Amino acid sequence: MAYTLPALPYEYTALEPCISKSTLEFHHDKHHAAYVNNFNAAVAGTELDSLSLEDAIKAVAGDAAKAGIFNNAAQAWNHSFYWNCMKPAGGGEPTGALAEKIKADFGSFEAFADEFKKAGATQFGSGWAWLVLDNGTLKVTKTGNAENPMTAGQIPLLTMDVWEHAYYLDYQNRRPDYITDFLTKLVNWDFVAANLAAA
Ligand code: MN3
């Protein structure tokens, strides 16, 4: 039961000028596609083939002998999630229950934003910044390479890819500028709110 590469939820030009068509073509059609293809090839004919991507990730997490499967499965999941975390003319601040929860758990939206920016900027090398629900409390966290907080029992609500391939064509070494644009112009708060409501 091969896992299929999901199409981008918007046009390749939809996130310009922040994230270019060229970045999305390489990032989705090459990087994300490779993770999906590698995962499918690795699990074909094994018991992992019948599992959902999420269950496969949890099944092999921490198993050094299956690190290759974990990395490709988690990267396939992380990228699908990341595409949905952005939208054209996104960003700004959330409203409703999500806004209230952020204020309750971080003190203010600005305090959340500062923590999220810091997580993205200080992730050394490749990885991800996250907003998660951890035992009922919102937290900001960061993970290296393919790691996903769901393996620690946390529920991902928002993620930002800080691998260089996510921003280098558009921002070169200016990761902080990519992060600022992500928060102010790209975040799809409706998706994050739906994740919180479903958690
Ligand atoms: Mn990526």
Side-chain angles (χ1 to χ4, degrees):
M1 194 178 66
Y3 177 74
T4 307
L5 174 69
L8 278 180
Y10 29 71
E11 298 297 319
Y12 286 85
T13 55
L15 304 183
E16 291 185 336
C18 302
I19 296 182
S20 63
K21 177 172 184 258
S22 188
T23 290
L24 285 184
E25 285 174 345
F26 277 106
H27 200 176
H28 177 272
D29 300 0
K30 305 295 182 190
H31 292 280
H32 189 181
Y35 297 128
V36 171
N37 292 338
N38 291 341
F39 170 73
N40 284 333
V43 301
T46 76
E47 74 281 359
L48 292 169
D49 203 8
S50 61
L51 298 182
S52 69
L53 197 53
E54 223 170 303
D55 286 341
I57 290 166
K58 290 173 181 168
V60 301
D63 184 343
K66 292 181 176 162
I69 294 175
F70 174 83
N71 287 337
N72 285 293
Q75 284 294 79
W77 193 97
N78 293 352
H79 282 87
S80 299
F81 194 72
Y82 169 66
W83 306 133
N84 284 298
C85 285
M86 300 184 287
K87 69 172 187 180
E93 295 189 22
T95 56
L98 174 60
E100 294 300 315
K101 183 72 175 151
I102 286 175
K103 193 174 178 191
D105 291 351
F106 291 97
S108 65
F109 178 79
E110 290 68 30
F112 152 76
D114 286 347
E115 206 176 315
F116 190 81
K117 281 182 193 174
K118 190 176 166 198
T122 60
Q123 171 54 41
F124 187 77
S126 298
W128 303 80
W130 304 85
L131 173 67
V132 300
L133 192 66
D134 184 6
N135 281 320
T137 303
L138 293 179
K139 288 182 183 167
V140 164
T141 185
K142 59 184 178 178
T143 60
N145 299 316
E147 290 293 332
N148 183 300
M150 74 169 74
T151 64
Q154 298 171 322
I155 301 170
L157 304 179
L158 166 70
T159 197
M160 176 176 64
D161 191 342
V162 294
W163 284 58
E164 283 190 345
H165 67 220
Y167 62 85
Y168 211 85
L169 294 178
D170 301 316
Y171 298 87
Q172 292 78 50
N173 61 315
R174 294 175 288 112
R175 188 193 285 190
D177 291 351
Y178 157 68
I179 292 171
T180 296
D181 281 353
F182 180 90
L183 276 176
T184 59
K185 298 173 184 169
L186 296 173
V187 175
N188 181 352
W189 287 116
D190 293 338
F191 178 69
V192 183
N195 292 333
L196 177 63

